Amino acid sequence: MTSVVPLHPGSDVPGLSRYAALASALRARIVAGEWPPGSALPAESLLATQHQVALGTMRRALEQLVNMGLVERIHGKGTFVRQGIAGASMLRLFRFDSGGGEVPQSRILSRQRVHASAAVARQLGVAPGEPVLQLQRLRLLAQRPCLLEDIWLPLDLFAALENSDTQAWGDLLYPQFANQCGVHVHRAVDHIGFALLTGTQAHHLQLPPGHPCVAVERNAHDLTGRCVEWRTTRADAHAFHYTVTIT
Amino acid sequence: MTSVVPLHPGSDVPGLSRYAALASALRARIVAGEWPPGSALPAESLLATQHQVALGTMRRALEQLVNMGLVERIHGKGTFVRQGIAGASMLRLFRFDSGGGEVPQSRILSRQRVHASAAVARQLGVAPGEPVLQLQRLRLLAQRPCLLEDIWLPLDLFAALENSDTQAWGDLLYPQFANQCGVHVHRAVDHIGFALLTGTQAHHLQLPPGHPCVAVERNAHDLTGRCVEWRTTRADAHAFHYTVTIT
DNA sequence: AAGTGGTCTAGACCACTCT
DNA sequence: GAGTGGTCTAGACCACTTG
């Protein structure tokens, strides 16, 4: 009988290579907030000596963090925890007539504090009945409505938004989240489907009721993986276009 | 004045790192057919000594080929040129009632040799008027039509398909391309959009004329980058669903 | 000039696959 | 056992950024 032997010599995490274990450990420290978004990690050489591994091994771990989208490395400057995603990401799904890469204007139609329905609670990962902030938002290109959004935000994170002046919010929401609430959207999952517009939805988009639309349901997450936003975006189905490459 | 100096010592390709140059050279040999799809490259140690670089440098080059999707490496076995993509890739865009990961049945509705229209010629990258094979194909799940496809193939590659028995083709087209014509589809670009069904399209799909549909235009390419197929697939828009993760 | 990440080396040893 | 790819090391040197 032999005792259990690690996968690799010196590895203290059975079943994981050394660089993978290092990446996991660094990830935990990033998620815990030891290095906040935008800040720099220690130099790779320092991290290597601190963890008593060769430089190449530490580089490999950092490379894995890059692939996870957690950090980005800049030659000559350092290794930085990635900021939240910018926004305007919804427009990549559509081609509007005068949408030459410009950020659409944002108009908040309504904002109210509500109790989370079962569906909203499930999407946000909070208890049903918890207070959430509900927004309805219209986005316009060249003064023409193009996107209609219903947004739910957990109030414990976004209390600062409840009474601030929506006129001053600017056209992108995620920078707003970061500046006013310290919430960085790090990852978003979009479920794209097809539907027909209700009367009120159609009215906001200046389209006929029953008009075909694309409905994008988005769950946005922060670094820790917590869902910080649930959103449904609707737009004219004829404006939809998306390109995927298979390999 | 100093003369132009390579980016890295020993690099014979200015502006490219050594491993990138190696990857490029290997890529050229793969595309040229020196190692056909499915075959193994020489061992990394052999390649390294042949090219007079350190093992780590050659590994880096091979890693880049993996990221390009050109080869796959199997621990203990070797490095293999990737086979063409399998097929059934269209179903990832839809959720049909009884579509539990099964391959839909394929029914060729028509096959004819035609002269490439301007549009078809442009998509396939051939001269207008060149002979092409046009297929119309219906795909069914649990005996119910779900996808209608119009397919154009350049005849110089696919002459073998012109007279073979379509009943014997099987439910996936790409394996057929590989087996009968030696054409390996290595990469496909799908443009997803929205449309309304014409009367005849609707009839094939057993839907009402004017019914909303998703139209997927696909350009499929082989290893050399040549477009070997142009296809438009149509299906009930209500069955469409797609998930994208942004990071 | 000092500090950062990027490239490359030469070699040891481990893990997986097939015979 | 022989051959393959995967991990790790210790070090040299290059390229980029900033002061």
Side-chain angles (χ1 to χ4, degrees):
Chain A
M1 285 290 292
T2 64
S3 59
V4 175
V5 171
L7 183 56
H8 299 289
S11 173
D12 48 359
V13 182
L16 267 191
S17 56
R18 200 134 168 177
Y19 70 82
L22 286 168
S24 169
L26 290 172
R27 182 190 138 86
R29 295 170 73 181
I30 291 170
V31 168
E34 180 167 343
W35 302 293
S39 68
L41 267 61
E44 57 181 23
S45 55
L46 186 55
L47 285 172
T49 59
Q50 281 176 351
H51 289 81
Q52 307 190 53
V53 295
L55 194 59
T57 304
M58 182 54 75
R59 282 185 60 75
R60 190 103 192 250
L62 291 167
E63 188 185 2
Q64 195 165 306
L65 293 182
V66 170
N67 294 337
M68 286 193 276
L70 267 174
V71 304
E72 62 189 334
R73 314 196 69 184
I74 304 180
H75 194 171
K77 293 188 70 174
T79 303
F80 302 87
V81 179
R82 280 188 52 182
Q83 304 269 25
I85 61 185
S89 54
M90 204 55 84
L91 251 65
R92 79 198 184 293
L93 299 176
F94 300 95
R95 172 173 39 203
F96 292 102
D97 282 343
S98 57
E102 306 139 49
V103 172
Q105 185 194 346
S106 171
R107 182 182 302 165
I108 304 293
L109 301 179
S110 74
R111 169 182 57 183
Q112 50 184 325
R113 176 191 191 135
V114 300
H115 295 284
S117 68
V120 169
R122 181 164 39 82
Q123 296 294 338
L124 289 178
V126 301
E130 283 289 294
V132 298
L133 202 59
Q134 176 173 1
L135 305 173
Q136 192 170 49
R137 180 185 186 224
L138 189 64
R139 306 182 74 183
L140 309 94
L141 276 169
Q143 321 302 328
R144 295 189 55 81
C146 59
L147 302 171
L148 179 65
E149 303 187 311
D150 291 287
I151 303 174
W152 288 266
L153 307 168
L155 202 60
D156 63 325
L157 290 175
F158 291 94
L161 293 185
E162 194 177 0
N163 296 302
S164 76
D165 179 14
T166 58
Q167 300 285 340
W169 278 13
D171 292 327
L172 289 177
L173 223 41
Y174 289 168
Q176 197 72 20
F177 290 177
N179 296 336
Q180 281 199 248
C181 310
V183 175
H184 296 263
V185 173
H186 174 258
R187 183 175 137 265
V189 182
D190 286 343
H191 295 275
I192 308 170
F194 173 85
L196 302 177
L197 289 174
T198 67
T200 56
Q201 291 164 356
H203 176 257
H204 286 304
L205 288 170
Q206 295 179 9
L207 292 168
H211 189 85
C213 74
V214 165
V216 182
E217 297 201 348
R218 164 175 295 185
N219 296 86
H221 305 267
D222 65 11
L223 266 180
T224 71
R226 171 171 178 188
C227 180
V228 296
E229 176 197 45
W230 187 47
R231 174 194 303 210
T232 299
T233 301
R234 289 182 181 82
D236 185 354
H238 291 95
F240 177 73
H241 83 124
Y242 190 61
T243 300
V244 196
T245 298
I246 309 166
T247 205
Chain B
M1 284 292 292
T2 65
S3 58
V4 175
V5 171
L7 184 56
H8 298 291
S11 173
D12 48 359
V13 181
L16 268 191
S17 56
R18 199 134 169 178
Y19 71 84
L22 286 168
S24 170
L26 290 172
R27 181 190 139 86
R29 294 170 73 180
I30 291 170
V31 167
E34 179 166 344
W35 302 294
S39 68
L41 267 60
E44 57 182 23
S45 55
L46 186 55
L47 286 171
T49 59
Q50 281 176 350
H51 289 80
Q52 306 189 55
V53 295
L55 193 59
T57 303
M58 182 53 74
R59 283 185 59 75
R60 190 101 192 251
L62 291 166
E63 187 186 2
Q64 195 166 305
L65 293 181
V66 170
N67 293 337
M68 287 193 276
L70 267 175
V71 305
E72 64 190 332
R73 314 196 69 184
I74 304 180
H75 194 172
K77 293 188 70 174
T79 303
F80 302 86
V81 179
R82 278 188 53 183
Q83 303 269 27
I85 61 186
S89 54
M90 204 55 84
L91 252 65
R92 78 198 186 294
L93 300 176
F94 300 95
R95 173 172 40 203
F96 292 103
D97 282 345
S98 56
E102 306 139 49
V103 173
Q105 185 194 346
S106 171
R107 183 182 303 165
I108 304 293
L109 300 180
S110 73
R111 170 182 57 182
Q112 49 184 325
R113 175 192 191 135
V114 300
H115 295 285
S117 67
V120 169
R122 182 165 37 84
Q123 296 294 337
L124 288 179
V126 302
E130 282 290 295
V132 297
L133 202 59
Q134 175 174 1
L135 304 173
Q136 193 171 48
R137 180 185 185 222
L138 188 64
R139 306 184 73 184
L140 309 94
L141 276 169
Q143 321 302 328
R144 297 188 53 81
C146 59
L147 301 171
L148 180 64
E149 303 187 311
D150 291 287
I151 303 173
W152 287 266
L153 307 168
L155 202 59
D156 63 324
L157 290 175
F158 291 95
L161 293 184
E162 194 177 359
N163 296 301
S164 76
D165 179 14
T166 59
Q167 301 284 341
W169 278 14
D171 292 328
L172 289 178
L173 224 40
Y174 290 168
Q176 197 71 20
F177 291 176
N179 296 337
Q180 280 199 247
C181 311
V183 175
H184 296 263
V185 173
H186 174 259
R187 181 174 137 266
V189 182
D190 286 343
H191 295 275
I192 309 171
F194 173 84
L196 301 177
L197 289 175
T198 67
T200 56
Q201 291 165 357
H203 176 256
H204 286 305
L205 288 171
Q206 296 178 9
L207 291 168
H211 189 86
C213 75
V214 165
V216 182
E217 297 200 349
R218 164 175 296 186
N219 295 85
H221 304 267
D222 66 10
L223 265 181
T224 71
R226 171 172 178 185
C227 181
V228 296
E229 177 196 45
W230 186 48
R231 174 194 301 211
T232 299
T233 301
R234 290 182 181 80
D236 184 355
H238 291 96
F240 177 73
H241 83 125
Y242 190 61
T243 300
V244 197
T245 298
I246 309 166
T247 203

